[in-house]
Amino acid sequence: MVDLKALTASVGELDEEKVLEVLNGFVASNPSEEDAQKVVAACQSGMAIVGDLYEKGEYFVGDLIFAGELLTNAINTLKPVLGSGSTASAGSIVLGTVAGDLHDIGKNIFKSMCEAAGFTVYDLGIDQPASAFIDKIKEVKPKVVGMSGVLTLALEAMKDTVDAIKEAGLRDSVKIIIGGNPVTKEACAQIGADAFTTNAAEGVKICQGWVK
């Protein structure tokens, strides 16, 4: 089994070569899905270190972007052993960063992890108006709608989007999860979403609970 602490440290140090070397070795050892989940968690803990170093001013935005790409590569490397068990889709998710917000690192990490868990993800992209979410919901009839945002103003855009989904008569057919730095329990209630998360792995678990 992989040394999880060392893996976390390597992710925190943005040592992509080391991380992928460890992960490729791990995948080749025919691990259990449970072990694979632990390895994903270790990689995410490394991302938390990156976030802390960014807040302390030791890492910069470029490092955050690189870390997001590193984690996406890590998840893609692990996909074969993250067991989608069956090839049937776990359900579909419409995902996007709300209007006025151009951040996509968190959204992309969540997307990779949802896909690894067997969901079909329709990614609208960044800075998406409510109408884009509504059009996609009508088109693909997802079980879950995910809204992402990092800026405080994203909370207002999330509320506008949820209100628009209600007005379109689509609210009862979907579960809505919001994610990003500014989201809190209070904001979630105010926005009218079903759940909130600031952690991609937790977000995936919530979505899995909804589609069972």
Side-chain angles (χ1 to χ4, degrees):
M1 180 58 187
V2 171
D3 180 342
L4 297 174
K5 282 200 175 78
L7 178 59
T8 295
S10 296
V11 173
E13 289 158 11
L14 301 178
D15 186 347
E16 183 168 32
E17 204 176 320
K18 184 79 195 287
V19 171
L20 295 179
E21 182 189 321
V22 169
L23 296 184
N24 282 319
F26 172 70
V27 170
S29 71
N30 197 13
S32 68
E33 193 178 330
E34 194 183 340
D35 282 345
Q37 293 291 355
K38 286 179 189 162
V39 169
V40 169
C43 289
Q44 284 202 302
S45 302
M47 284 296 283
I49 294 172
V50 173
D52 290 345
L53 291 171
Y54 173 70
E55 278 169 19
K56 287 178 184 157
E58 290 178 40
Y59 277 175
F60 302 98
V61 174
D63 298 309
L64 282 187
I65 292 169
F66 180 76
E69 289 169 356
L70 170 57
L71 193 59
T72 302
N73 288 343
I75 304 277
N76 285 338
T77 304
L78 291 167
K79 262 187 188 169
V81 293
L82 277 170
S84 42
S86 65
T87 48
S89 170
S92 56
I93 299 177
V94 166
L95 182 63
T97 302
V98 291
D101 200 317
L102 306 175
H103 294 81
D104 66 357
I105 295 176
K107 172 180 69 61
N108 291 349
I109 292 168
F110 179 67
K111 176 186 174 184
S112 296
M113 294 201 65
C114 284
E115 287 176 341
F119 286 95
T120 304
V121 181
Y122 298 93
D123 184 2
L124 299 173
I126 56 173
D127 194 14
Q128 291 296 313
S131 57
F133 282 91
I134 288 167
D135 290 348
K136 203 68 182 170
I137 293 167
K138 285 179 178 168
E139 182 197 334
V140 302
K141 301 182 174 50
K143 294 183 179 177
V144 179
V145 175
M147 295 176 202
S148 167
V150 171
L151 307 172
T152 312
L153 63 82
L155 296 177
E156 205 163 305
M158 287 176 182
K159 182 164 183 13
D160 291 346
T161 305
V162 173
D163 288 347
I165 291 170
K166 277 183 194 153
E167 279 163 31
L170 300 167
R171 182 65 185 93
D172 295 341
S173 68
V174 294
K175 289 285 196 182
I176 297 177
I177 185 167
I178 56 173
N181 290 352
V183 299
T184 58
K185 194 175 173 186
E186 293 71 32
C188 182
Q190 202 176 349
I191 287 163
D194 295 297
F196 76 97
T197 183
T198 51
N199 171 326
E202 178 190 60
V204 173
K205 283 201 182 101
I206 292 168
C207 294
Q208 286 172 322
W210 284 338
V211 298
K212 274 182 179 150

